[in-house]
Amino acid sequence: EATLDLAERRRIRSAIRELQRQELERDEETLASKRFRPERSHRQDDKENWPQSQRLEEEQQAALAALSEQLEAITSVEELTKLLRAAGEYEERKLIRAAIRKLRAEEIEGEAPFPSSR
């Protein structure tokens, strides 16, 4: 009887250890989950890097303004299309697509026949 009792106790302890191990694994997975970490670290990054991000945003705005001026000088849809394919940033592509639409609209207006006056 003593051996059976000890064996049962070992099985119970073993089952408890297994449950504890599973619980620890679940806790580690929860902590490692992307839902929790990026939100905290992102907020912290924003606080720590605010001056740097502000400067980068100002530089990006200046670059976009320069690109906008450059696009005004281009009168070929083909050149704009080449620029569009080479552009990496979303905002740059957005400006280039707007310039292409503007050029195409101007071409259509130029081709449209004038209304005849009666």
Side-chain angles (χ1 to χ4, degrees), residues 2 34 99 101 103 107:
K34 292 181 180 179
R101 283 192 298 272
L103 271 181
E107 287 175 0

Side-chain angles (χ1 to χ4, degrees), residues 70-87:
Q70 179 186 0
L71 294 176
E72 291 290 326
I74 298 175
T75 57
S76 168
V77 175
E78 289 79 24
E79 285 182 52
L80 289 173
T81 305
K82 287 178 187 175
L83 281 176
L84 180 62
R85 289 185 181 130

Side-chain angles (χ1 to χ4, degrees), residues 1-13:
E1 292 181 26
T3 358
L4 291 175
D5 190 32
L6 289 176
E8 186 176 349
R9 285 182 184 178
R10 273 189 236 128
R11 281 192 305 249
I12 291 171
R13 278 191 230 120

Side-chain angles (χ1 to χ4, degrees), residues 6 34 39 44 60 94 102 104:
L6 289 176
K34 292 181 180 179
E39 188 175 317
Q44 190 66 21
Q60 184 181 22
K94 185 176 167 183
K102 182 180 173 187
R104 287 186 177 154

Side-chain angles (χ1 to χ4, degrees), residues 40-95:
R40 285 189 210 130
S41 66
H42 183 64
R43 253 187 281 143
Q44 190 66 21
D45 286 347
D46 285 349
K47 241 194 281 188
E48 292 173 356
N49 299 321
W50 188 79
Q52 181 182 2
S53 65
Q54 189 73 12
R55 181 179 52 79
L56 289 174
E57 186 175 331
E58 289 171 1
E59 288 174 1
Q60 184 181 22
Q61 291 299 324
L64 289 175
L67 177 63
S68 182
E69 290 176 14
Q70 179 186 0
L71 294 176
E72 291 290 326
I74 298 175
T75 57
S76 168
V77 175
E78 289 79 24
E79 285 182 52
L80 289 173
T81 305
K82 287 178 187 175
L83 281 176
L84 180 62
R85 289 185 181 130
E89 295 293 320
Y90 170 77
E91 293 296 327
E92 291 175 358
R93 293 191 308 266
K94 185 176 167 183
L95 282 175

